[in-house]
Amino acid sequence: MNLDDVYNWILGHSQNYPGKHQESQPRTIASYKPLEAKAQFHIVIKATAEYIKEKMLNGNGVNMKELGAFTMEVNSDYVKPLQHSGFNMTQDLGIQRAERKHVHQIRPCFVPDNSFKYFLARYPGKEEITKPLSQHSIYQKGFGMNFCNAGPIAASCYLGKDVVQSIHNSLIKAIHDLTRLGHNLNIDFGFIKISVINRDLKYKYEQSFINRLNQTDYELKMRQSDLATSQHWTTTYQEKWSKSTLNNLLTRPNPGQVQDNYEKSMALKIMSLDLNTAEKTDYSKKQKVQLPALNK
């Protein structure tokens, strides 16, 4: 079963997955017409995949509650000591780091949640990721973990935040139920494919996505903040949102053009009315109409 089949399963079993995702919900912008229930699933999950992809390219991981964590680990080969590595004090540090960039490779991972592991027979073990010693939280699965925020996803889809949360909860619950029932799943998020065959979980990231991760400076991306404290707090939310790929996920239509098209369609509906279907009255028979006299 792919994602489309999972959507049909959720909509076909409304008694097991109640919520706002079962019906068409209004959009936050009047220029957009309401979508069908299944179309809402497609657009929200696509925006969720773009959100996770953007966070990982910025050096952060994303933890979806009760599903798993999309994170990464840095694999470093053995290097020579400084006195044997040919370190040049007169050369720029950034140039030397670029020359030794092949030493560090970023490996993206997917760590299933404990509630999801309960329904699985086999899955990659917890030793797959080496947890940094400075991170003591039990929810920390990798570097710079963030929980999946439904706010930016809802803003990019022009839907309510509660609708996005309802879709996420129903999708994760359906994945748990289908895995427990023994169905084979093929969850394709675009940049990662998660498969559950005979309750055996496997995943595979796209090679192009892995190459983009390795092209970034991991030391620069995996810090808490690249900006100074004063710049971090003075940067507005609009400036951060304008740089996000979610902002360009859907093109906003011209409100004036949408209103003109709406008025034209209403005018065509009025012009196409059949006079035979109008209500029949005896007004002309009971009252004589006095027409003006013609001047000859």
Side-chain angles (χ1 to χ4, degrees):
M1 299 177 66
N2 52 21
L3 280 176
D4 195 71
D5 298 330
V6 177
Y7 303 155
N8 294 332
W9 173 274
I10 296 173
L11 297 176
H13 298 78
S14 58
Q15 68 278 5
N16 297 330
Y17 311 100
K20 291 189 175 182
H21 57 274
Q22 292 290 345
E23 298 179 356
S24 177
Q25 300 297 329
R27 313 294 289 276
T28 56
I29 296 181
S31 302
Y32 281 96
K33 300 301 178 182
L35 298 173
E36 296 181 354
K38 187 176 180 180
Q40 290 179 159
F41 273 91
H42 281 282
I43 189 174
V44 168
I45 299 305
K46 180 180 179 182
T48 304
E50 290 294 331
Y51 172 82
I52 298 174
K53 182 178 179 181
E54 179 181 343
K55 288 295 183 181
M56 293 188 68
L57 290 176
N58 289 332
N60 298 322
V62 178
N63 189 352
M64 291 191 71
K65 186 179 180 180
E66 297 184 357
L67 178 63
F70 302 85
T71 181
M72 65 200 75
E73 186 179 19
V74 178
N75 290 335
S76 299
D77 297 335
Y78 289 104
V79 296
K80 295 181 180 180
L82 180 61
Q83 60 270 23
H84 300 292
S85 61
F87 184 78
N88 189 0
M89 297 294 296
T90 61
Q91 195 175 11
D92 184 68
L93 180 61
I95 298 176
Q96 297 189 62
R97 183 184 299 167
E99 293 177 354
R100 298 167 55 84
K101 193 175 181 179
H102 64 280
V103 176
H104 309 286
Q105 296 291 331
I106 296 178
R107 184 175 65 89
C109 309
F110 174 73
V111 182
D113 191 82
N114 291 332
S115 59
F116 189 24
K117 290 179 181 179
Y118 181 79
F119 303 105
L120 296 172
R122 291 171 297 277
Y123 52 85
K126 63 180 181 180
E127 66 277 0
E128 186 178 6
I129 291 182
T130 302
K131 180 179 175 181
L133 298 178
S134 60
Q135 300 171 353
H136 303 286
S137 174
I138 60 175
Y139 301 102
Q140 194 75 22
K141 301 293 184 180
F143 293 91
M145 290 298 300
N146 299 321
F147 281 99
C148 187
N149 188 3
I153 299 174
S156 63
C157 300
Y158 304 116
L159 288 169
K161 184 178 179 180
D162 51 350
V163 180
V164 175
Q165 291 177 342
S166 178
I167 290 177
H168 285 174
N169 295 336
S170 62
L171 178 64
I172 295 173
K173 187 176 184 299
I175 292 175
H176 290 182
D177 294 342
L178 293 173
T179 304
R180 177 175 56 85
L181 294 174
H183 292 272
N184 295 334
L185 301 178
N186 182 20
I187 306 171
D188 188 0
F189 285 116
F191 68 100
I192 180 178
K193 294 181 180 179
I194 303 174
S195 62
V196 180
I197 301 176
N198 295 329
R199 303 177 67 182
D200 181 12
L201 186 143
K202 295 181 180 179
Y203 66 88
K204 182 179 180 181
Y205 283 86
E206 281 191 349
Q207 187 62 38
S208 58
F209 178 74
I210 298 176
N211 295 336
R212 290 185 61 183
L213 284 177
N214 290 323
Q215 289 173 1
T216 59
D217 190 348
Y218 83 98
E219 292 181 355
L220 182 66
K221 293 295 183 181
M222 288 189 175
R223 292 183 303 191
Q224 289 187 351
S225 178
D226 298 328
L227 301 176
T229 305
S230 58
Q231 297 178 2
H232 176 76
W233 293 111
T234 56
T235 304
T236 61
Y237 178 77
Q238 288 77 7
E239 295 177 357
K240 296 179 181 178
W241 178 251
S242 61
K243 299 178 181 179
S244 175
T245 57
L246 292 174
N247 187 27
N248 300 324
L249 187 63
L250 293 178
T251 57
R252 181 174 298 183
N254 187 0
Q257 184 179 1
V258 172
Q259 183 66 23
D260 292 342
N261 295 335
Y262 176 75
E263 294 178 356
K264 289 180 181 179
S265 61
M266 292 299 296
L268 291 174
K269 290 181 180 179
I270 296 174
M271 294 173 61
S272 61
L273 290 177
D274 189 0
L275 296 179
N276 294 329
T277 60
E279 183 180 359
K280 184 177 181 181
T281 60
D282 297 334
Y283 179 80
S284 60
K285 295 181 180 180
K286 296 181 180 180
Q287 183 177 359
K288 295 182 179 180
V289 179
Q290 299 293 335
L291 298 177
L294 298 176
N295 297 327
K296 297 182 179 180

